[in-house]
């Protein structure tokens, strides 16, 4: 089949490389415009240029110039790998089989651009990768392939993506294309009764409410890592908590101390009271200190037992 691959970042590059390695007929590549002064190159673009693929970098995937370029290539299928723009319906229909998309969740749960983070924040024990057809909705198209992975208690958004969901996606994208080419690809409608959509994760979603349980606070911290970070305040200044672990979960009792109160310091970091249970903060980040071990931060900036970290509300 004649493929147009749309993507960016290392994931887009690796998917494009996998398709080229398998001898797929890639007749065009589409990526985002160059960022003036960017320190890092676009690896997807670098590979497309290296392999001399026809390449465009439009600001939108809905414009007439994109439609004209696409029609000239006569594609059978669009392959979306790390795409942050919406394709126009007319553009989608220019390919014989439309398009397919990689999404890092078990659709129809966790539609949207921050699917991995929200799964962690909500304490899910598994997630996965879905390859689905695209339509004019947000991650609503029929499912072709889906595979699940377990979520470990200490995984962050970054580690879950790079260690599990990234390589799984590179494997499943070519498999979905094979099924479509052979005429055996299923079209499994998504069940709207169990669908969920979450917004792109922003700082206003990741303020810590110390009245929550230790597990809920820990899930927020790891879901918001590396960006935008889970925030609290100390001495009137913002403090981002980067790495943590719940402690004493087997002996949880209603707190006798104020939620947010620093209980003790150790070589591992500092322990904070929550609404139920305690949490060990291992790494922090601040405007003044940058990112550093929590124990070093406490020593350098005078954080001590009895200090109270403030909640930042509302919390989702």
């Amino acid at each position: 089949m004649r493929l147009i691959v749309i993507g960016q970042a290392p994931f887009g590059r690796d998917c494009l490389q996998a398709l080229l390695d398998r001898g797929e007929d890639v007749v065009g590549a589409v990526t985002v415009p160059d960022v003036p002064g960017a320190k890092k190159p676009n690896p997807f673009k670098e590979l497309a240029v290296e392999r001399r693929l026809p390449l465009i970098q439009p600001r939108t995937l809905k414009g007439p110039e994109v439609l004209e370029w696409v029609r000239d290539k006569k594609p059978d299928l669009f392959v979306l790998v790390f795409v942050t723009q919406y394709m126009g319906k007319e553009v989608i229909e220019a390919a014989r089989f439309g398009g397919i998309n990689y999404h890092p969740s078990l659709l129809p749960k966790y539609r949207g651009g921050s699917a991995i983070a929200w799964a962690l924040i909500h304490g899910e024990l598994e997630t996965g990768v879905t390859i689905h057809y695209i339509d004019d909705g947000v991650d609503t198209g029929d499912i072709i392939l889906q595979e699940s992975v377990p979520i470990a208690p200490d995984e962050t958004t970054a580690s879950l993506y790079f260690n599990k969901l990234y390589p799984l996606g590179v494997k499943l994208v070519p498999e979905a294309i094979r099924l479509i080419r052979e005429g055996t690809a299923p079209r499994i409608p998504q069940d709207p009764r169990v669908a969920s959509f979450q917004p792109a994760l922003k700082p206003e979603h990741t303020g810590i409410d110390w009245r929550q349980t230790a597990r809920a606070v820990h899930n927020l911290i790891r879901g918001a890592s590396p960006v935008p970070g889970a925030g609290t305040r100390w001495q009137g200044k913002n403090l981002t908590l980067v790495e943590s672990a719940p402690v004493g979960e087997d002996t949880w009792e209603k707190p006798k101390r104020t939620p947010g109160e620093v209980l003790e310091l150790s070589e591992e970091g500092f322990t904070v009271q929550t609404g139920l249970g305690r949490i060990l903060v291992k790494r922090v980040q601040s405007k003044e200190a940058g990112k550093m071990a929590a124990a070093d931060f406490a020593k350098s900036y005078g954080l001590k037992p009895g200090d109270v970290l403030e909640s930042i509300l509302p919390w989702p």
Side-chain angles (χ1 to χ4, degrees):
M1 291 190 301
R2 296 171 61 83
L3 307 178
I4 290 180
V5 183
I6 306 173
Q8 58 182 299
F11 177 74
R13 174 203 60 204
D14 287 353
C15 287
L16 177 58
Q17 184 68 65
L19 296 177
L20 294 171
D21 288 346
R22 286 163 174 77
E24 296 288 358
D25 185 13
V26 179
V27 298
V30 183
T31 192
V32 294
D34 294 331
V35 178
K39 295 181 180 180
K40 294 183 180 180
N42 180 340
F44 179 92
K45 177 183 177 180
E46 286 187 321
L47 178 58
V49 171
E50 176 188 328
R51 299 299 292 268
R52 298 182 179 180
L53 299 175
L55 173 74
I56 58 170
Q57 297 177 263
R59 296 191 177 279
T60 175
L61 296 177
K62 297 181 178 181
E65 69 280 2
V66 172
L67 182 60
E68 181 179 353
W69 184 87
V70 163
R71 284 175 172 168
D72 179 66
K73 301 296 178 287
K74 298 179 174 59
D76 293 309
L77 184 71
F78 294 109
V79 182
L80 280 62
V81 284
F82 202 128
V83 176
T84 55
Q85 301 179 25
Y86 298 117
M87 289 189 74
K89 184 178 180 181
E90 197 173 8
V91 176
I92 297 173
E93 292 174 346
R96 183 159 61 110
F97 295 108
I100 62 172
N101 179 57
Y102 158 90
H103 186 75
S105 84
L106 296 175
L107 292 174
K109 294 180 65 176
Y110 297 105
R111 294 168 175 168
S114 297
I116 305 171
W118 285 110
L120 290 174
I121 291 170
H122 291 159
E124 299 286 357
L125 299 180
E126 72 169 5
T127 186
V129 166
T130 302
I131 309 299
H132 65 96
Y133 288 100
I134 58 173
D135 56 19
D136 54 0
V138 180
D139 303 322
T140 55
D142 292 345
I143 294 170
I144 304 169
L145 286 175
Q146 197 167 70
E147 192 169 321
S148 64
V149 299
I151 298 176
D154 58 347
E155 282 186 306
T156 65
T157 293
S159 66
L160 180 57
Y161 173 62
F162 285 108
N163 296 337
K164 296 179 179 178
L165 303 179
Y166 183 126
L168 183 56
V170 175
K171 182 187 83 169
L172 292 183
V173 167
E175 176 65 9
I177 293 170
R178 181 186 67 81
L179 293 175
I180 294 171
R181 180 171 56 246
E182 295 176 355
T184 59
R187 296 195 72 122
I188 305 169
Q190 295 188 35
D191 186 348
R193 296 171 299 177
V194 294
S196 64
F197 173 85
Q198 287 74 30
L201 196 68
K202 298 179 180 179
E204 54 261 37
H205 302 128
T206 58
I208 295 173
D209 182 351
W210 290 107
R211 298 170 299 177
Q212 298 284 328
T213 67
R215 174 59 59 180
V217 174
H218 172 63
N219 287 342
L220 178 66
I221 292 170
R222 66 196 184 109
S225 176
V227 291
T232 184
R233 289 193 183 93
W234 176 62
Q235 295 185 343
K237 295 182 179 180
N238 293 331
L239 181 65
T240 299
L241 307 190
V242 177
E243 185 180 353
S244 63
V247 293
E249 290 182 278
D250 56 340
T251 58
W252 275 2
E253 298 177 353
K254 288 188 177 181
K256 298 178 182 178
R257 310 289 282 273
T258 303
E261 183 177 344
V262 177
L263 303 177
E264 58 183 9
L265 308 180
S266 69
E267 293 183 357
E268 294 182 281
F270 54 85
T271 304
V272 184
Q273 180 69 59
T274 72
L276 186 61
R278 294 164 287 132
I279 192 165
L280 172 65
V281 178
K282 297 181 177 182
R283 288 184 65 79
V284 301
Q285 183 175 5
S286 70
K287 183 178 180 180
E288 295 77 17
K291 190 178 293 186
M292 64 191 304
D296 294 338
F297 177 85
K299 292 176 184 177
S300 299
Y301 290 87
L303 180 75
K304 61 186 183 301
D307 288 356
V308 177
L309 303 179
E310 301 174 33
S311 295
I312 299 179
L313 303 176
W315 193 83

